[in-house]
Structures are given as structure tokens and as C-alpha cells.
Amino acid sequence: MSHMSASKLPPFEYYEPATVEQASKLLDNHGDEARVLAGGIDLIPRMRAGTVKVTQVVSLQRVNGLDYMRRSTAGGIDFGAMTTLHALERWEDLRVGFGALYDAIHQITSVQAKCMGTAVGNLCVATPASDVAPALAAYDAGILVAGPKGERRVPLPEFYPAYGCTALGPGEIVTGVEVPAIPKGHGAAFLNLVRTHADIAKVTVTAAVVIADGLCKQARIALGAVAPTMFSAEMAEALLEGEEMTHELIRAAAAAAARETRPIDDLRSTAEYRRATTEVLVARALHKAAGRARVSAANWGADRGPSGEGVTR
Amino acid sequence: MKKQVLTFKVNGLSHDAIVTPNMTLSELLREELGLTGAKESCGVGECGACTVLVEGKPVLSCSALAIAARDKEILTIEGLAASVGKKPGELHPIQQAFVDYGAIQCGFCSPGMILMAKALLDENPGPTREEVQEGLGGNLCRCTGYVKIVDAVLAAADVLRKEAGT
Amino acid sequence: MSTDLSVVGRRLPAYGAVNKATGATKYSVDMCEPGMLVGKLLHSPHAHANIRSIDKSRAQALPGVLAVISWEDIPQKPFNPSVQDWGLHDTSNEINDMYVISEKARFVGDVVGAVAAVDEATAVEALRLIDVEYEVLPAVFDVLDAMRPGAPVVHDSFGSNVSRSFGFAGSRGDVERALGDAPVVVGETFKTSKQFIQALEPLNCLAEFAPTGELTVWMPVQRPLVFRKKIAELFELPEAKVNVICEHAGGFFGEANWSVAPICVALAKQAGRPVKLEYSRLETGMNCASRETYVITGTLGVSAKGELTAVKEDVIVDSGAYFNRSAACTVVHMADFTGLYRCPNVSAKATAVYTNVPMASGFRGYGGPPAFFALEQLMDMAAEKLDLDPVELRLRNVKRLGDFGHAFPLETDTHAAVIRLGAEKIGWEEKRARPKVDGDVRRGVGVAAYYDVSGGQPFERFDRNLEMQLNEDGSVTVIINHPDGGMNLLGTCAQLIAEVLGIDYQDVHFVHGETEGKLWDGGMAANGGLYTVGNAVVRAAHSLKAKILAEASARLGVPMDQLALRNREIRLKAAGSADFVLGTPVLSLRALADDAIYKALDGSRSLAIIEAYHPTANPNPVGAAFADLAVDIGTGVVKVEKLVLVHDIGRAINPATVEGQLQGGISMGLGYGLFEDPAIGPTDGVMRGGDFNTYRLASPLDMPEVEVVLYEDPAPSGPFGGKGVGMCGVHAVAPAIANAIYHAVDVRITELPMTPEKILEALGGRQL
């Protein structure tokens, strides 16, 4: 059991390509032997522990054009593969307009991890317990991918085909994330359960709804840590869409979402607890999201910003 | 795996070191440069004891590659006081507050904690108690229960604001 | 007692704090010797297995490997990686049941081999090349399962897993009869959890033999001289040829597993080179001491007036794979459980049991935290049956002046006042009466009391021997064997010495980093630093003062009783006044010391003292914790809003130091109560909560508002009235939380840690 020992990194070759094309080519050439290095907060400890074994490390730190964050012309937000979680957390447009995403990033405890780590790196680790992935999914974010066959946009839930895997093909890298503009009457809420603040989530939930004319026009319930991958609770979403979000309906939707989970027992929690509390958190998140959606509908276009979420904290 | 002689700017001075890609920043500092102020406690980026500042940002040196830090400004605890013009034997106001407020017990977390506090106060010179707790959220201490550490950071913030005349 | 103390009672910087703040302090993990090799351990992947064969030849043949050891290469002497058997009390004798490297693996991670090589990669490769053939045996992980007939036997020589059963020497009265007569009887079984020390400096050791055979060992160790004896005996070296160096350690909190050093020494011996062995976090958890896990069945009998008439305990100790300190910790545990309150009839008995999990040992609080977790919940159960306020029930039963404590009578009468003060600080009356329902949460407030010792005397040797000298510049040097582990013992002692000698505390210097040249000292443990070392330095300072004044008296021709030391000066008492402060300075201390060396016509002499101190009392610090919290009935999550802890310190020599000890203890108590969990697999014995990703410590954000209040009523036998504190913060946090949870949601959580999963289950599922 040599992995029990504190260990130094095994040998590897290190590259700092200057362009996405070069990076993509390196990855394509080396296949499974290569990994992308962004912030390193996941990859380096795993390589030290021996749970990730690669011989080629491709750093993106000197690739031009991957560290950006900007408002899109449509009113959404775009950010790059090398944009740190810390930069996103401090971005006023994100905090005010995309409050549940802000909450998901803000609650990450280690400031060092947020200063080093990137949101895209967090997504590419492909842990089912990411708080950021469900938050982005609830905002219908798209993942921008570049590779030997060109560029494509992958809707977030589809980015995770199976446990620990991403939809990236050979030589492909994520270059950025697009979050579309939010419509009038949109509200979202992030909630999770952890053993301690710095721990990985036992359950993580982001719910987002659009309410117009008193009815739920669109519902997004993105869940993490309760199935092999992050996923959207589609049956629960379907229950809500087109209906008035009454207390009873929210209860029913939360129960449906809990039924869609496939949780496991592990050192952090039990499957039973995860399923039970998914229902509680989804109900709470939906109530909160619906409340914010109503504020958004009422105040749309007013000075306080496009949604009610920005005033959460 | 190539060995290269690279130049690192540590605490305002240039150092040449023979580096392989698999050398972490903490190994460079501790083993090559003899700067043992950055501690390695967990080795997985969970405790913050190895925190140093790279280009002013807090970095977990156990989880960063030395090679990636070449040509960047690295500040370790050994250089903190001098970085604000203190003479040998004098302390940075954050260090002084840690000493004065009883925020140091075994001291193993202190270098990382102090540098993290510096990064926090550089960004937010007037934090609330809660903001200090959030700012130090990635730094573990097994001795103090954090009460006096937070007290010290708040006190240092006052001193630094006064020094800056704000 | 003098009331115009000038140094005692001040919040002065802790010893060594400036060097720690600047990164200058070197810990043993920072040490590096020329030619140093890297040591690595080979762990058993099986929870229970005989080693059929172990072939080291491939590893030995690997270039760069200089030592490969297994059980055959280790001195075949039964060993206990804990302190000496002191022989002062029969139940504190431990069992020597392990070898430094095992021939039989008894838990997942048990060390079966070790290597030393030129670098880490080579060492790791060498481990891979050791071929071990295991005969895998059935294993047992639960202590109750281990007691059943037919259970796999962890140590063959015992025939079963029960290693020892022992009664509590302090049992008295007729408990069964008192329980039969009591109008109110409460009983419950509690299960406590393993908690790891996980000091931030990972356990490590650097060992080096000189060509002439002298051995130097660097490692974090609380009792260096006791440890030196153990190493010397194990390797058959003269003690004078062993030097154990520990100037600063990155946290103590308990006697970590001393077997790290014997393995490292064995590697260094075979390799003929210095070897450094550094444990990973998982190893620091797995192969070091953890808090004992207990299954506690407790019963209380209470009179209609709310007075305890019977306290009974039956405790099963899960030693883990090796006995370590199972006896001493459990004796203390039973003394804590049966001794916190006045009661005429008490009995306790313990059964120590082996299982295939990592071993337990002494960890901050010893057996106290488990004892108070059980006892203080039973007290609340009794209060409920009596329809009495929990605070009131405690006030009716606390020990008073002269009542017998752990081994000596209580020296002050403070516990009732301490509990009342805590109740006032938390707002007890108002919070007990406020509405519990607040949306999805239920609010509750709870109390738990504790008491402790100020050292291990008379069961262990807490004797101190030290040298104190006046330097020619008028400063004082103390030569003493106490590593600094962050408790500021030396800084506190400097304040005591400065107070007695009328000098600045910064004029007190310590020579303390290594065993070489030190007089024997029992080391640090059991809350005993301030009380025993403090008393020793105060006595030494008084002796030195007398020597100084005698010297001054001879020089000045003034009777000694007309002279005093103040502000580094010898002063002559003002005429007609008892006040030395206003007296006339007649000679500086510096001039006196310097003259005694450089100008004395009858020969130069250092003014110096050798102090041998044997503590003959042991005052009990007492205290109480109060928790104010909210339980989310949808998730079972407990949010502790505020913790108040009032501690009777006797006298706070340095209040900041005392508060810091308690605040740190509280953070450990919080982890013990709510989330620290090694997550040992119930069917495979694999520890899944090992590194800091998986075994969580409280971060700054996990701390509630903490209010620590120091209650001062000087203990007559203490240095300026001071008593112990180091272990006390941890004692009562978990039970105060447990009682507050019960107050909030009417469920009693009897198993640690009190996770949301357990609370939700006890609530019968989510309540929303």
C-alpha cells in the first residue's frame, strides 16, 4: 500500500503551448498519457497520490485568449478555460445577475483553491459532487470545446456521459463556457449539504425557474453527488413546467427529483440520507428560486438589475 | 524528463535552481532554496500551511509546479517583513498582530495563515469578522480554534489602514 | 499572596512566537542532514494476516537502496509505543504487546516493512519489490463482535480478545443497593468514536548514528527523556549515547506513536547513513495514537432531592490492534465518570478488548471526553425525570472544597460558581424558555460540566529537575527538558520566574531543545505543564533569589530581610515601610552577577540552582460548557450558534495563553462531537477518513461564536495559584451539544460523532 506514503510527483514531460491548436495537438499525440494542467489543485494532488498516472502534462497557462470574462452581446456571461474561480467570484456581473452561480462559487471554502483553480478545471475533473457544474447546468450553460475536428458547444448535462468521464474526445480541450442571458421572471437558488465547510458536498442542488403570468414556464433542477454524474431531474422539471408553483406542486416535484437520484453510501454520507435530503433541498431551492423569479418579474428593467437573485447576501 | 536551470524571483531576489518538471513549488522553496517557512502538512491542498504568494495571489505550493512559477514574483514568509520595507528584526504588521494577540501556538500553520491574511487584506483592507473567517477558510489550525487568529487579522487590518492613511 | 503582580497575569507574547511568525523556527520535519536517506514504510493491505514469508532480496538489489527491514531486523523485545510502565499504580500498567515491526499484521496499515533509499522514487520502488506472502485471517472490527466466543483472535497469546479486565480503585459504597433504593434511576449505553490527533506537523523522525556510535534522533516528542530511555533499551545503547532533539513541535495533543523512531533508527543503523522518515497524513492517522473508543453503559441513582446516590459504569475499551495506553486512559476515564460529582456509592469496571483497527492511545483529554459525553447526558436524563433544570441538578451535586478529586482533595470551592457564571453568559434561563420552533429549525441550549487534573501525579512521575542560573548580564537561563509544542509553557514559566526575581520576562532564557545535558524530567502530559513545571521554576527562582540576596547582603553589609529584587535591581526597604517598590535601588542585578564572576577576590562563581521538584498535590481545574444551537429538522444538520466555556484556572499566568488553549480545545471538541470520523469500513477495516480530504478538521468557517471565560480563584498549591488547562477545552463540548440537541428536538444521540445522518434517523426521517 505504497500510496499511503507522502509522495513526490512521478516524472513527466511538461509543455506550455502558446495556442489552443498546439495544446490540442499535444493531447492528441499523447492520448491517455497526457493531461491538461490548469490550476492544478486537483491534478497535482492526484498525481502525487498516484491515483492519476500520466507522463505528459500540458499546461494552458501560456495559451493566449483563455483567461477572459465578459458580458455576451445577448446579455449572458462568457468566461474562459483559464478564468479562475476567484476572478469569477469577484465579477460583479456574475454576482448580481447569476446569484445561484455566485453562491456555488462563493461557498467553496479555500481562497487559495479559488485563486489557483478554474471553473472549467472544476468541470473537467468530472466529479459528480461538483457544486459548480449543477449551478452552471441550471443556467443552461454550454461548454465550448475545441479539438482536431474543430469547435463545438456541448450543453452541460451532456458533458458528463458517465461517472468520472467527460464528453471530450481525443485532442479536445474546453476553451470556455457560455451562460445565456436570463429572461424576465427568472430566479435560481443554490443549496448544498457538507460535513464541514471545506468538504465535498453530500448533496448539491441548483434550481432555476422562469415564472410568467403566474405560471412556471421553465424549470431546471440540477443535482450533484446523488448519482454517478451530475444530472437534471427531468421528471421533476416536467411536473413544474406550465403549472402554478404551489406549495403542493413543489413538494411533488421535490419528491420526484429524489426518486430520480441514484445515490451511494460513502464516507461522507449514506444513500438513504442523500435521497431524503435531496427532496428537502430541492423543495427549499424551488421555493427560493420561485420567490426570486417573482421579484424578477415584478422589477424587470428596474435599476436593481435583471433578477432578484443579486440581493441574496 | 529534462533538468533545466531556471531563474526564480523569490522575496525580491533572483535564484537559479536546477528544476525538473515534477518538482513542486514547495519542494523548490524548502529543499532547493532552504526556505522552510512554507510548511507541508497535508500534501493535498487542503490545509493551507504551504501557502505562498505568487504575483500577489495565494498559492498552495504543494499543489503548484515550480516550473510554472519561473519568472514570477514569489513571496514567502521569510520575505514578508522586508517586502514592506521593514528592517531585519522588524515584523510586518500582520506578523506583529499574530504575536501580540496570542494567535500563534505551535506555529506550524502560522506562515501560511499570515500570508493568506496578507492576500486577504490586500484585496479587502477593511474586512468584517465573517470575511476574515471566509478569507482564511482554506487554512487549518489544530491548536487555536481560530479565535485569536481572526482577532489578529482584524487588528492588523486596523494598523495597515492607519499606515495607509485611509 | 501578593496582589501587586507585575508580570503574572499579563497577556505577553508566547515563547518563540516571533520566530514562528517569520518562518525561522525549525521543526524536526524541516531538518536535513548531509547524506540523508528517505525512509518509507510498507503497510499491510490486510486487516489480519500472518506473514508466511517476506522476501527482501529484490528490494535490496535495487540500486540506491541502503536498508530494507522487516520484523527479523528489529530487536525482538516486546514493546509498547507509549510511555514507561511507571509501576506507581497497578492498574496503570500497560501491556507490551507489539514489536516495532510486526510479524503478524493486525490492522490495515500495520507496518510490516521499511526501506531507506537515496530518494523517494527509489524507496517507493523498493517497497514494491518486497515480496510478502500473507496468510489472510478472518478479522474483527467491532468491539462487541470481538468479545463473542469464536471471534478471530487478534493476539494469540491471550486466547481471546479480552486483554484485561480491571475494576476502578476508587469504587466505594454499595452501588447496587443505592440504585435499588433510588427513586430516580437512569441508564443508557453510549458509543464514542475514534478521533485522530492530526497535529499539523506530520509525524516524522530523522535518525543518525555517529561513527562512534552516538545516536541522534530528531522528532516531535512530548516526553523526550522517557523516550530516550525506551530507545536506549530497545537498541541496547547507553542512554548517554542517545540524544533526542525536539525544540519545537508542530502540535502535541497526545503521545503519538513512538514506533516511528525505532523504525527510523533501525533503518539508519542498517544503512549507516542518516534516515528521515516522514509520515503521510493517512499514516499520521493510522499509525499514531487516536482517542480510545468506548462502549459505556452508565447508570445513575438520584434521590428525590436531586442528589446523586449511585454512579455506576461498565466500560468496554476498544484498544484496537495493540494495547498502548488502554489502561491509563481508562483509569482516568473511570475517575472522570465516577468523580465529577459528589456521590457516596460509585463503582466502575473496564474490559479492554483487541480489534483489527488502528490502535488507540492518549489524546488530549485522555478518557475524559468519552466520560463526560456519557455522564453529562445521563445527568440531563435524570434532571428531566426529576423535573429539575439541568443546571440546578449540577449545582446540587458539584464537588466542594476538600472533597476528594482524582487523587487529592479539591483545594478551592469553585464549580458551582463556574456553572452559574456560564449559565449567565449563555443566557440560560431565557434560552431554555424561548420558543423552539423557528421555521425549519428547532433551537436548543445545553450544558455539560467537567473536571480534570493538573498532572499525572501520583500515578505517573511528573517530577521535574532543572537548572537555573543568573548570567553575568543579570539575565536568567533555565536548563530544562521541555520541547515547545505550542502551549507556551516556557513563556508562562518565564513570567513566573520574572515575577519572583523582579526581572523582565524577556530576561529569562531557556535551553531546552535536546536531551543532551539535561536533568531528568517526566515530560509533558495530563494537563500538568503549568502546575508541575511552573511550581518547579517558582521554587527554583525563590532559591536563586535567596542566593542573590545572600550575595548582596554580604556585599552591602545589610541583612537579607532588608533587601528585595525589583526592576533588575536590589533595593533597600524604605525606612519604616514594608514596601520594597518605593525602596532605594542600591545595586543592579547585572553588577552583582558580573562582579561575582569578574571581581570576586575569593574566586569567580555563577549563582545557580539545581531544583528537584516532586509534586505532592494535584488541584482539580473545573469548568462547564454551554451550547446554543439550531437543528434543521429537514436535514438533521446542527448549527452551533454559540459555545460558552467557563474554566477555573486558579490563576491565569498569561490569560491569552489560557484562552488559546481552551479555544483550541473547543475546536477539537466540536470536531469530536459532530464530524471527525476515520470512517473505518465495518466489513474490511479500511480507514477511508485518512487524509485531510476525507478526515475533516474544523476550518475557521466551522467555528461558532466562542466565548471563553476564565474564573480565577488561586489554588493554594499552584504556582501563584495556577492549575491545569491544556486538555480542558475538549471535555464538555460534545455533551453540551448533545444535551442542546435533545432540548431542541427531543432525541438523544448516544453515538459519536453526532452526524446529521444519525440525527435524521433518530428523528424518524425528515420532518418536513
Side-chain angles (χ1 to χ4, degrees):
Chain A
M1 301 189 82
S2 58
H3 70 271
M4 286 178 177
S5 297
S7 28
K8 300 198 180 235
L9 282 164
F12 55 83
E13 296 301 328
Y14 176 78
Y15 308 91
E16 285 187 356
T19 65
V20 170
E21 290 69 31
Q22 288 170 5
S24 169
K25 199 165 180 192
L26 281 164
L27 292 170
D28 203 22
N29 288 346
H30 293 292
D32 289 345
E33 285 295 308
R35 275 291 171 102
V36 167
L37 176 70
I41 54 168
D42 183 80
L43 181 64
I44 301 298
R46 279 177 202 260
M47 287 177 69
R48 288 184 67 171
T51 54
V52 168
K53 290 184 165 65
V54 290
T55 59
Q56 316 290 321
V57 171
V58 180
S59 167
L60 301 185
Q61 78 163 344
R62 286 173 212 265
V63 175
N64 283 324
L66 293 182
D67 182 4
Y68 63 87
M69 34 184 216
R70 58 186 172 235
R71 231 39 235 222
S72 64
T73 45
I77 54 173
D78 299 343
F79 56 85
M82 289 303 282
T83 306
T84 65
L85 289 159
H86 184 69
L88 292 171
E89 184 185 12
R90 289 176 59 79
W91 187 18
E92 190 69 3
D93 285 18
L94 187 149
R95 191 178 66 79
V96 172
F98 301 81
L101 177 57
Y102 170 82
D103 288 348
I105 295 170
H106 180 70
Q107 59 83 46
I108 296 171
T109 304
S110 165
V111 178
Q112 294 93 321
K114 285 187 281 196
C115 285
M116 297 169 76
T118 64
V120 167
N122 181 300
L123 297 178
C124 290
V125 168
T127 164
S130 164
D131 290 305
V132 176
L136 281 167
Y139 282 100
D140 289 337
I143 309 297
L144 304 177
V145 175
K149 293 174 195 160
E151 296 178 5
R152 60 190 180 116
R153 184 185 190 279
V154 184
L156 190 48
E158 292 167 26
F159 190 63
Y160 298 115
Y163 172 74
C165 297
T166 67
L168 292 175
E172 283 192 320
I173 63 171
V174 175
T175 56
V177 174
E178 284 179 356
V179 186
I182 54 172
K184 179 182 177 183
H186 184 277
F190 164 85
L191 291 171
N192 72 359
L193 292 175
V194 288
R195 291 187 301 176
T196 65
H197 277 83
D199 199 17
I200 294 165
K202 298 173 181 181
V203 181
T204 176
V205 175
T206 302
V209 296
V210 178
I211 292 180
D213 307 323
L215 300 179
C216 174
K217 296 294 181 191
Q218 187 192 73
R220 296 285 181 267
I221 299 168
L223 303 176
V226 288
T229 66
M230 178 233 104
F231 72 101
S232 292
E234 290 173 4
M235 287 187 295
E237 292 169 355
L239 277 179
L240 293 166
E241 285 176 349
E243 303 292 329
E244 189 187 344
M245 286 182 68
T246 61
H247 188 74
E248 290 68 32
L249 186 64
I250 286 175
R251 270 187 94 108
R259 285 195 298 275
E260 292 178 69
T261 63
R262 285 181 292 150
I264 57 164
D265 290 348
D266 66 10
L267 84 148
R268 292 189 170 80
S269 191
T270 64
E272 186 188 349
Y273 180 83
R274 287 182 157 113
R275 187 174 284 117
T277 53
T278 297
E279 189 171 343
V280 173
L281 293 199
V282 168
R284 287 179 184 170
L286 283 170
H287 275 295
K288 221 168 162 179
R292 289 168 175 174
R294 290 181 195 109
V295 172
S296 162
N299 295 348
W300 190 251
D303 288 346
R304 59 185 301 175
S307 88
E309 298 164 26
V311 291
T312 56
R313 283 180 180 244
Chain B
M1 191 171 59
K2 269 191 309 203
K3 280 182 186 167
Q4 293 169 268
V5 178
L6 297 177
T7 302
F8 295 90
K9 285 187 272 181
V10 184
N11 299 330
L13 296 172
S14 283
H15 297 265
D16 289 345
I18 300 169
V19 171
T20 53
N22 65 343
M23 180 184 286
T24 62
L25 182 55
S26 69
E27 286 162 17
L28 171 77
L29 295 170
R30 290 176 55 81
E31 295 170 22
E32 300 299 314
L33 305 182
L35 297 168
T36 56
K39 302 301 179 195
E40 232 185 71
S41 177
C42 74
V44 290
E46 289 287 336
C47 73
C50 65
T51 301
V52 298
L53 303 187
V54 177
E55 301 286 315
K57 289 272 186 266
V59 161
L60 300 164
S61 63
C62 78
S63 301
L65 298 182
I67 198 169
R70 69 185 186 278
D71 304 330
K72 295 180 185 171
E73 290 283 348
I74 301 165
L75 182 70
T76 75
I77 194 70
E78 290 90 344
L80 175 62
S83 77
V84 293
K86 298 287 178 187
K87 297 188 193 79
E90 293 178 347
L91 298 178
H92 184 282
I94 301 173
Q95 293 171 317
Q96 189 66 54
F98 269 62
V99 170
D100 292 343
Y101 281 76
I104 297 174
Q105 287 188 26
C106 85
F108 206 78
C109 75
S110 305
M113 201 68 88
I114 289 167
L115 287 170
M116 190 58 232
K118 175 178 162 54
L120 165 72
L121 297 181
D122 283 349
E123 196 169 274
N124 179 4
T128 63
R129 196 167 186 91
E130 290 67 35
E131 284 168 342
V132 173
Q133 287 174 320
E134 284 178 2
L136 301 178
N139 290 68
L140 294 176
C141 170
R142 194 59 159 161
C143 295
T144 64
Y146 307 104
V147 180
K148 293 190 187 297
I149 288 174
V150 178
D151 290 346
V153 175
L154 289 168
D158 282 345
V159 172
L160 288 164
R161 279 200 310 274
K162 278 190 194 115
E163 281 184 2
T166 54
Chain C
M1 174 94 29
S2 169
T3 52
D4 59 338
L5 298 172
S6 55
V7 195
V8 162
R10 285 178 59 198
R11 294 170 180 270
L12 294 170
Y15 177 81
V18 169
N19 284 342
K20 291 173 185 175
T22 55
T25 301
K26 297 278 186 213
Y27 302 81
S28 65
V29 77
D30 298 326
M31 293 301 165
C32 185
E33 288 291 292
M36 187 173 87
L37 303 175
V38 175
K40 284 278 165 192
L41 301 176
L42 183 68
H43 300 277
S44 166
H46 306 294
H48 199 190
N50 286 321
I51 295 172
R52 279 217 184 103
S53 67
I54 184 158
D55 181 355
K56 294 172 283 196
S57 57
R58 289 201 302 150
Q60 282 159 338
L62 186 69
V65 175
L66 280 93
V68 184
I69 60 174
S70 61
W71 65 272
E72 305 108 308
D73 306 292
I74 290 289
Q76 290 304 297
K77 291 178 186 167
F79 177 77
N80 184 322
S82 187
V83 293
Q84 297 298 116
D85 284 349
W86 301 94
L88 296 172
H89 193 271
D90 48 346
T91 49
S92 70
N93 290 344
E94 313 292 357
I95 299 173
N96 289 323
D97 59 4
M98 69 184 284
Y99 296 95
V100 171
I101 293 182
S102 197
E103 191 184 350
K104 180 187 179 190
R106 293 185 174 88
F107 66 93
V108 176
D110 208 354
V111 177
V112 298
V115 301
V118 289
D119 58 30
E120 192 189 272
T122 309
V124 169
E125 179 63 11
L127 290 180
R128 212 181 53 77
L129 295 175
I130 300 176
D131 297 304
V132 187
E133 193 191 340
Y134 291 100
E135 177 198 357
V136 179
L137 303 169
V140 63
F141 309 110
D142 179 84
V143 70
L144 299 179
D145 289 343
M147 293 172 76
R148 295 201 174 95
V153 175
V154 180
H155 287 268
D156 301 332
S157 58
F158 285 94
S160 83
N161 290 315
V162 175
S163 57
R164 285 187 65 175
S165 295
F166 43 100
F168 174 54
S171 298
R172 61 189 175 272
D174 186 340
V175 165
E176 295 308 329
R177 188 171 162 179
L179 285 173
D181 293 345
V184 169
V185 174
V186 291
E188 185 57 81
T189 296
F190 300 86
K191 212 173 163 197
T192 70
S193 58
K194 227 173 186 35
Q195 182 181 31
F196 290 130
I197 289 178
Q198 295 292 21
L200 278 210
E201 182 184 5
L203 190 59
N204 67 91
C205 182
L206 168 56
E208 178 174 25
F209 281 95
T212 44
E214 284 89 354
L215 170 65
T216 306
V217 175
W218 291 260
M219 72 177 292
V221 58
Q222 286 177 224
R223 296 179 166 190
L225 282 153
V226 180
F227 171 67
R228 182 182 68 176
K229 179 178 170 68
K230 197 173 266 286
I231 284 284
E233 285 173 354
L234 200 58
F235 288 93
E236 294 178 352
L237 295 163
E239 282 183 42
K241 284 198 162 194
V242 180
N243 189 20
V244 177
I245 302 182
C246 177
E247 189 171 0
H248 298 279
F252 279 143
F253 314 122
E255 289 143 51
N257 185 353
W258 290 356
S259 59
V260 62
I263 295 170
C264 195
V265 170
L267 287 170
K269 197 173 170 184
Q270 193 180 92
R273 296 262 291 267
V275 174
K276 187 168 179 185
L277 181 55
E278 196 176 324
Y279 279 20
S280 70
R281 266 300 137 197
L282 181 59
E283 289 171 320
T284 301
M286 196 168 58
N287 298 107
C288 301
S290 58
R291 194 180 297 296
E292 303 76 17
T293 47
Y294 288 137
V295 178
I296 300 163
T297 302
T299 315
L300 305 182
V302 193
S303 75
K305 289 193 291 183
E307 288 169 346
L308 282 171
T309 57
V311 175
K312 181 183 173 188
E313 186 190 23
D314 195 339
V315 59
I316 298 163
V317 191
D318 184 352
S319 300
Y322 300 99
F323 195 81
N324 209 311
R325 302 222 80 196
S326 293
C329 288
T330 306
V331 169
V332 171
H333 167 86
M334 293 189 290
D336 287 337
F337 188 94
T338 58
L340 177 59
Y341 297 110
R342 274 184 164 175
C343 183
N345 305 292
V346 308
S347 80
K349 67 181 173 68
T351 309
V353 180
Y354 289 122
T355 58
N356 293 113
V357 304
M359 70 182 142
S361 184
F363 176 11
R364 192 184 208 172
Y366 257 49
F372 301 124
F373 179 69
L375 174 69
E376 286 298 272
Q377 292 206 66
L378 288 165
M379 286 295 280
D380 264 35
M381 291 162 66
E384 187 179 20
K385 275 199 171 181
L386 286 155
D387 200 19
L388 254 185
D389 181 276
V391 166
E392 180 56 31
L393 180 65
R394 287 169 176 84
L395 292 176
R396 289 185 192 180
N397 288 285
V398 288
K399 283 187 167 166
R400 314 306 293 237
L401 181 68
D403 286 353
F404 206 65
H406 285 76
F408 295 92
L410 268 66
E411 296 183 16
T412 50
D413 187 9
T414 57
H415 212 170
V418 160
I419 292 170
R420 280 198 197 95
L421 182 58
E424 183 192 315
K425 295 283 178 190
I426 196 84
W428 179 259
E429 304 275 340
E430 170 218 331
K431 283 181 175 154
R432 285 301 278 196
R434 78 187 158 188
K436 291 182 187 175
V437 178
D438 182 357
D440 291 349
V441 305
R442 304 289 177 267
R443 297 192 181 280
V445 60
V447 59
Y450 63 85
Y451 91 144
D452 207 328
V453 290
S454 297
Q457 66 280 10
F459 308 111
E460 293 189 0
R461 293 185 188 275
F462 271 61
D463 298 351
R464 310 296 172 193
N465 293 280
L466 60 92
E467 294 168 63
M468 186 180 288
Q469 65 193 43
L470 183 69
N471 303 315
E472 54 261 47
D473 62 1
S475 67
V476 167
T477 292
V478 183
I479 304 168
I480 188 168
N481 197 270
H482 273 283
D484 164 40
M487 300 87 104
N488 192 29
L489 173 64
L490 298 180
T492 305
C493 285
Q495 289 185 241
L496 294 168
I497 294 162
E499 188 69 51
V500 173
L501 292 176
I503 58 177
D504 196 297
Y505 83 104
Q506 286 170 321
D507 288 340
V508 182
H509 307 282
F510 293 93
V511 176
H512 71 103
E514 55 187 327
T515 56
E516 186 80 34
K518 301 299 184 303
L519 301 173
W520 193 85
D521 182 289
M524 179 77 73
N527 246 12
L530 182 267
Y531 180 76
T532 58
V533 184
N535 266 339
V537 298
V538 166
R539 286 167 55 122
H542 277 295
S543 301
L544 184 59
K545 182 179 173 180
K547 223 169 192 173
I548 291 166
L549 292 181
E551 180 83 15
S553 169
R555 245 189 86 173
L556 298 166
V558 176
M560 260 176 76
D561 63 2
Q562 294 294 306
L563 296 172
L565 288 173
R566 277 293 147 100
N567 287 352
R568 306 188 221 177
E569 290 158 341
I570 290 146
R571 291 189 177 199
L572 193 58
K573 197 186 283 183
S577 160
D579 194 346
F580 289 106
V581 178
L582 300 172
T584 319
V586 289
L587 184 63
S588 78
L589 198 53
R590 184 192 180 104
L592 179 87
D594 197 71
D595 290 357
I597 294 190
Y598 291 107
K599 292 189 183 152
L601 297 174
D602 52 346
S604 301
R605 59 192 172 277
S606 290
L607 298 181
I609 293 296
I610 289 181
E611 177 68 36
Y613 172 64
H614 169 65
T616 52
N618 193 337
N620 294 93
V622 300
F626 293 78
D628 178 11
L629 54 75
V631 181
D632 182 332
I633 58 168
T635 60
V637 170
V638 173
K639 178 160 176 29
V640 181
E641 307 277 1
K642 183 167 184 178
L643 283 166
V644 168
L645 191 134
V646 185
H647 181 76
D648 162 27
I649 183 67
R651 184 189 294 280
I653 311 303
N654 182 330
T657 293
V658 179
E659 288 163 2
Q661 287 297 305
L662 294 166
Q663 289 158 349
I666 287 169
S667 73
M668 279 185 177
L670 192 80
Y672 184 55
L674 296 177
F675 49 79
E676 285 186 36
D677 184 0
I680 293 170
T683 56
D684 59 11
V686 174
M687 203 175 89
R688 292 181 172 78
D691 62 21
F692 280 176
N693 286 320
T694 49
Y695 184 86
R696 302 305 318 198
L697 307 183
S699 77
L701 286 167
D702 297 302
M703 291 300 291
E705 183 189 346
V706 168
E707 184 178 358
V708 161
V709 184
L710 306 184
Y711 188 94
E712 295 186 81
D713 184 353
S717 77
F720 290 86
K723 319 193 257 197
V725 63
M727 307 204 300
C728 293
V730 74
H731 280 320
V733 175
I737 290 171
N739 285 336
I741 290 171
Y742 183 83
H743 183 226
V745 291
D746 295 317
V747 298
R748 201 149 275 296
I749 308 298
T750 56
E751 194 178 320
L752 286 170
M754 297 177 281
T755 59
E757 286 77 3
K758 287 175 193 160
I759 292 167
L760 207 59
E761 192 185 341
L763 285 168
R766 65 187 172 76
Q767 301 297 303
L768 290 172

